[in-house]
Amino acid sequence: MPLFMDVHHKVDGLTAEAVAGAHKRDLEVGPQYGVDYRRYWFDEGSGKVFCLVDAPDAETAVRVHQEAHGLLADELTPVQEGT
């Protein structure tokens, strides 16, 4: 399945608890679309968030974010895992 990294450049009011809650919602909604939001990274100071996601395609990854919490990424890039 394709792997993507999405980037949210500025999530206003970002906290560790808020991003954990959004990720939890992604995990709840994702399986019905064949999507797995695998990991996330964030910086509270800048409001920047990165999400690593397995999805059938980019549009489906976006759909899960939209349905789960409405926070759409500013960028979505196909990536490959390295060692």
Side-chain angles (χ1 to χ4, degrees):
M1 182 172 322
L3 186 63
F4 300 91
M5 179 68 73
D6 79 16
V7 182
H8 304 258
H9 289 292
K10 177 78 169 118
V11 177
D12 291 326
L14 180 71
T15 64
E17 295 79 22
V19 74
H23 182 68
K24 181 176 183 281
R25 285 291 301 141
D26 287 329
L27 295 177
E28 292 168 356
V29 173
Q32 62 190 305
Y33 296 102
V35 172
D36 179 19
Y37 272 87
R38 293 169 50 175
R39 289 187 71 176
Y40 66 92
W41 298 262
F42 67 98
D43 176 54
E44 279 186 17
S46 68
K48 202 165 206 176
V49 180
F50 302 86
C51 304
L52 184 64
V53 56
D54 280 315
D57 52 57
E59 294 79 15
T60 308
V62 170
R63 182 176 186 178
V64 170
H65 261 1
Q66 176 69 46
E67 189 173 316
H69 45 68
L71 297 171
L72 300 182
D74 297 300
E75 297 176 42
L76 185 63
T77 305
V79 295
Q80 297 173 331
E81 284 190 90
T83 55

